[in-house]
Amino acid sequence: MDVTPPAQSVIDTDTLAGAVRAGERRALARAITLVESARDDHRAAARALVAELSKSGRQALRIGLSGTPGVGKSTFIESFGCFLTAQGLRVAVLAVDPSSARSGGSILGDKTRMERLSRDPLAFIRPSPSRTHLGGVARRTREAVALCEAAGFDIVLIETVGVGQSETMVAEMCDLFLLLLAPAGGDELQGVKRGIMEMADLILVNKADGDLKPAAMRTRADYAGALRLLRRRPQDPDGFPKALSVSALEEDGLATAWEEMQFLAQWRRDHGHWQSRRAMQARHWFEEEVRHSLLARLTREPLKGVMEHLGTLVGQGARTPDEAAAELLAHMGR
Ligand code: GDP
């Protein structure tokens, strides 16, 4: 009898998990490449790896950072990152970049950015994955966050460009959410959507230096006023969300911003909001994963063919849309 050996995965997830846990950067980079892969066998290995590493129980402070192109996100991450590593903290930087989903290229992945931080032995910078769609990118970034956490990083910074849905996704994977703004020219608020303001724990008005300083102070005051009008969230201590001014370029205001972040994080830990936020996020990603998998099934046979066939029948008036949908769902259950 011909006994074919079982197909073996070339990835030894136990060894890889051990190396990630030991904080080996190359292993971490490999592990992130693994979770970014769409191949079925890689997905299975990635799932095992993330599950194994989630047992480590290590928790980093996950900080989301959003802002439109040009407000100074890279400059801020570079100076804030170096500020943190100077205190002996280990910092990982990840990015969710919707533009990479569209073009295949990545502005956030630009190698020349954050040069000083990228040379820092306490820092790890991962360029944005250039993947098919934002949902996929976000999902993999979330797993990459978990890997950085298991690798013993104290802070994970997750950067996103302030457009579209990407902020909401980043807010669903971080403990604190920062919104970076530039000083406004006039006294008007910069078309920041209310939803994004409501997600922000700290608004940082950047470029508070040189000629821009007075405008930055005014903008800060405007936002402080606008934030006071928002309903206070039960997970926040008095005075939050806050607006501060910083200069990423001159490394000014970073210590104050960091103090506020630590205060807020500690307050949430002490009051159980930290844990409940993480629990809610885990549920959210579970549901997203289910949704994503169900939708993926619709694009594959046999359901793809059933859907096309039913679509034709609906077009011919032979089924109502509702009937056809019910029929399709019945098929899914099989
Ligand atoms: P990003 O697109 O949000 O990542 O923005 P960058 O970090 O690339 O910065 C965009 C421009 O703003 C660059 O020319 C920076 O030098 C400048 N910039 C960033 N931070 C500051 C700051 O604190 N003060 C001033 N004056 N310029 C800044």
Side-chain angles (χ1 to χ4, degrees):
M1 201 172 76
D2 177 27
V3 182
T4 340
Q8 274 195 338
S9 168
V10 285
I11 302 148
D12 178 355
T13 45
D14 282 349
T15 309
L16 189 54
V20 170
R21 231 184 263 115
E24 286 174 28
R25 307 156 63 90
R26 284 181 53 196
L28 176 61
R30 271 191 64 209
I32 295 180
T33 303
L34 182 66
V35 302
E36 285 173 1
S37 170
R39 264 174 53 179
D40 278 349
D41 57 334
H42 286 175
R43 281 301 318 145
R47 189 174 297 136
L49 181 72
V50 174
E52 170 61 29
L53 286 173
S54 69
K55 292 180 198 152
S56 77
R58 284 176 174 163
Q59 283 199 337
L61 176 60
R62 306 171 177 179
I63 304 175
L65 174 74
S66 175
T68 47
V71 309
K73 289 181 302 302
S74 334
T75 314
F76 177 80
I77 291 176
E78 165 110 325
S79 24
F80 186 57
C82 290
F83 168 85
L84 295 172
T85 58
Q87 302 177 35
L89 293 165
R90 297 183 67 205
V91 179
V93 180
L94 304 170
V96 174
D97 175 8
S99 71
S100 70
R102 260 180 274 123
S103 66
S106 167
I107 42 170
L108 296 182
D110 184 348
K111 291 272 190 305
T112 60
R113 299 186 337 137
M114 306 174 200
E115 222 182 296
R116 195 157 48 104
L117 189 62
S118 62
R119 278 188 273 110
D120 193 320
L122 289 179
F124 175 86
I125 301 180
R126 179 78 179 184
S128 173
S130 39
R131 286 289 157 198
T132 44
H133 61 99
L134 186 54
V137 171
R139 185 161 133 234
R140 292 180 185 114
T141 305
R142 170 181 53 89
E143 289 180 332
V145 170
L147 295 176
C148 292
E149 229 166 28
F153 282 92
D154 302 296
I155 316 283
V156 182
L157 282 169
I158 313 150
E159 175 191 12
T160 186
V161 170
V163 287
Q165 293 172 285
S166 59
E167 277 108 350
T168 319
M169 290 180 170
V170 169
E172 287 289 354
M173 58 177 98
C174 65
D175 304 310
L176 298 178
F177 190 79
L178 314 181
L179 178 62
L180 206 61
L181 296 174
D187 57 358
E188 82 286 1
L189 300 184
Q190 303 157 54
V192 175
K193 291 200 197 78
R194 191 190 165 99
I196 295 170
M197 291 252 299
E198 282 172 345
M199 278 190 285
D201 295 308
L202 279 184
I203 286 183
L204 301 177
V205 182
N206 190 30
K207 310 194 183 183
D209 50 49
D211 292 348
L212 288 169
K213 192 159 187 171
M217 300 318 256
R218 254 197 328 271
T219 306
R220 190 207 67 80
D222 289 345
Y223 276 95
L227 288 173
R228 270 195 294 275
L229 298 178
L230 294 177
R231 199 163 54 92
R232 199 189 127 199
R233 300 175 295 194
Q235 71 270 30
D236 283 349
D238 246 356
F240 280 90
K242 263 187 194 175
L244 306 172
S245 59
V246 296
S247 165
L249 205 60
E250 297 189 349
E251 304 181 15
D252 193 24
L254 302 181
T256 308
W258 176 230
E259 269 166 33
E260 298 288 2
M261 287 178 228
Q262 284 177 293
F263 173 77
L264 184 57
Q266 194 54 48
W267 195 90
R268 286 186 181 163
R269 277 200 186 95
D270 294 344
H271 292 78
H273 298 306
W274 171 287
Q275 296 81 344
S276 59
R277 179 173 170 137
R278 287 219 171 179
M280 263 169 49
Q281 289 175 337
R283 283 192 70 132
H284 168 86
W285 290 110
F286 155 65
E287 288 168 14
E288 277 296 303
E289 212 55 65
V290 170
R291 231 171 264 134
H292 181 87
S293 309
L294 287 177
L295 287 176
R297 277 182 65 190
L298 290 177
T299 65
R300 287 196 303 264
E301 298 299 349
L303 282 175
K304 187 172 174 236
V306 175
M307 183 127 155
E308 267 161 27
H309 173 66
L310 286 167
T312 308
L313 294 179
V314 170
Q316 292 166 346
R319 296 274 195 295
T320 67
D322 189 46
E323 273 176 325
E327 228 171 284
L328 184 87
L329 288 176
H331 253 276
M332 279 191 118
R334 281 179 202 161

